């Protein structure tokens, strides 16, 4: 099995099964739109815009009509130079977890092989990170750091998290796990140190 491909850009997919399929293929932050849920979730859209500005965003949706509606929405909502588009081919069939094929009979991102997903991401122009790349260092917070900061595992952690999320302009409903991923994706270790005064 090939090691996950470390890339700079974050990737947005339609749903959690797509996210799971992609997790073994790339080493980066992967978010999902909750299908059409992104249309009514201004906070999620704001987070996607912020990630696109900081590190770039790759949109990878299913090759069906619904996937293109979501893709076109994001294309119009995020500045052109900050978003790349990855496409999977039309393959007819059904995903293992489903009883019947989708409306158009095509496999979605979750039904694609790791090789197809890897090619799609590379063909989109993903920035592959290697030892020689002078890339911005990702944050280095751990779950233990969030606990120490009172942002998880304490009686008032949810309230403290909400205050921090509001201050940072991030979605207020983010879980501690999602907050950790976002902080490490958006901030360098130095920026995090300044943010938390560590």
């Amino acid at each position: 099995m090939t090691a996950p491909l470390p890339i700079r850009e974050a990737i947005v997919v339609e749903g959690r099964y797509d996210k799971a399929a992609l997790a073994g293929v790339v080493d980066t932050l992967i978010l999902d739109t909750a299908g059409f849920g992104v249309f009514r979730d201004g906070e999620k859209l704001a987070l996607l815009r912020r990630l696109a500005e900081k590190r770039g965003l790759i949109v990878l949706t299913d090759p069906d009509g619904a996937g293109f509606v979501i893709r076109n929405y994001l294309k119009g909502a995020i500045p052109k130079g900050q978003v790349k588009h990855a496409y999977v081919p039309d393959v007819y069939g059904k995903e293992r977890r489903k009883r019947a094929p989708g409306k158009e009979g095509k496999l979605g991102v979750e039904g694609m092989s790791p090789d197809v997903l890897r090619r799609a991401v590379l063909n989109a122009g993903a920035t592959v990170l290697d030892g020689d790349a002078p890339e911005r260092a990702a944050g280095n917070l751990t779950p233990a750091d969030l606990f120490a900061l009172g942002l998880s595992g304490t009686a008032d952690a949810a309230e403290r998290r909400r205050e921090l999320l509001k201050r940072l302009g991030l979605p207020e409903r983010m879980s501690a796990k999602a907050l950790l991923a976002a902080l490490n994706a958006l901030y360098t270790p130095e920026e995090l140190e300044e943010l938390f005064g560590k």
Side-chain angles (χ1 to χ4, degrees):
M1 186 170 160
T2 309
L5 190 65
I7 64 170
R8 182 184 70 206
E9 295 85 359
I11 298 182
V12 61
V13 295
E14 289 181 54
R16 64 181 180 186
Y17 294 105
D18 300 332
K19 191 175 171 179
L22 201 55
V25 176
V26 291
D27 180 11
T28 192
L29 179 62
I30 305 168
L31 297 125
D32 70 81
T33 65
F36 292 142
V38 72
F39 297 158
R40 356 175 245 290
D41 191 344
E43 291 179 341
K44 176 148 302 175
L45 183 59
L47 175 60
L48 293 174
R49 284 181 175 145
R50 193 131 172 234
L51 285 166
E53 181 184 347
K54 283 274 193 176
R55 57 192 280 182
L57 188 70
I58 296 174
V59 177
L60 177 58
T61 59
D62 294 347
D64 58 10
F68 276 87
V69 168
I70 294 167
R71 179 185 298 278
N72 288 332
Y73 174 75
L74 294 174
K75 186 189 274 187
I78 298 170
K80 187 178 181 181
Q82 299 172 0
V83 67
K84 297 175 181 178
H85 292 274
Y87 298 91
V88 293
D90 285 342
V91 176
Y92 290 87
K94 71 170 194 68
E95 283 85 6
R96 273 186 262 175
R97 71 177 178 87
K98 296 181 179 176
R99 291 179 187 244
K103 192 175 184 180
E104 295 178 30
K106 298 176 184 176
L107 290 178
V109 170
E110 73 173 276
M112 297 292 156
S113 73
D115 287 340
V116 167
L117 294 174
R118 185 181 177 97
R119 266 195 316 276
V121 169
L122 289 172
N123 289 342
T127 307
V128 179
L129 304 175
D130 60 22
D132 302 326
E135 286 300 322
R136 174 179 196 279
N140 55 3
L141 287 179
T142 66
D145 293 323
L146 285 191
F147 178 79
L149 292 165
L151 296 169
S152 71
T154 62
D156 60 347
E159 182 57 34
R160 285 177 166 214
R161 217 170 29 252
R162 262 192 301 279
E163 288 171 15
L164 176 65
L165 290 166
K166 186 175 182 177
R167 186 164 52 105
L168 298 177
L170 294 171
E172 68 180 28
R173 291 190 183 104
M174 284 182 109
S175 66
K177 185 176 178 180
L179 172 62
L180 181 64
L183 288 172
N184 283 331
L186 292 169
Y187 298 96
T188 64
E190 294 78 24
E191 291 167 336
L192 288 169
E193 189 172 318
E194 188 176 313
L195 183 67
F196 294 114
K198 289 173 70 179

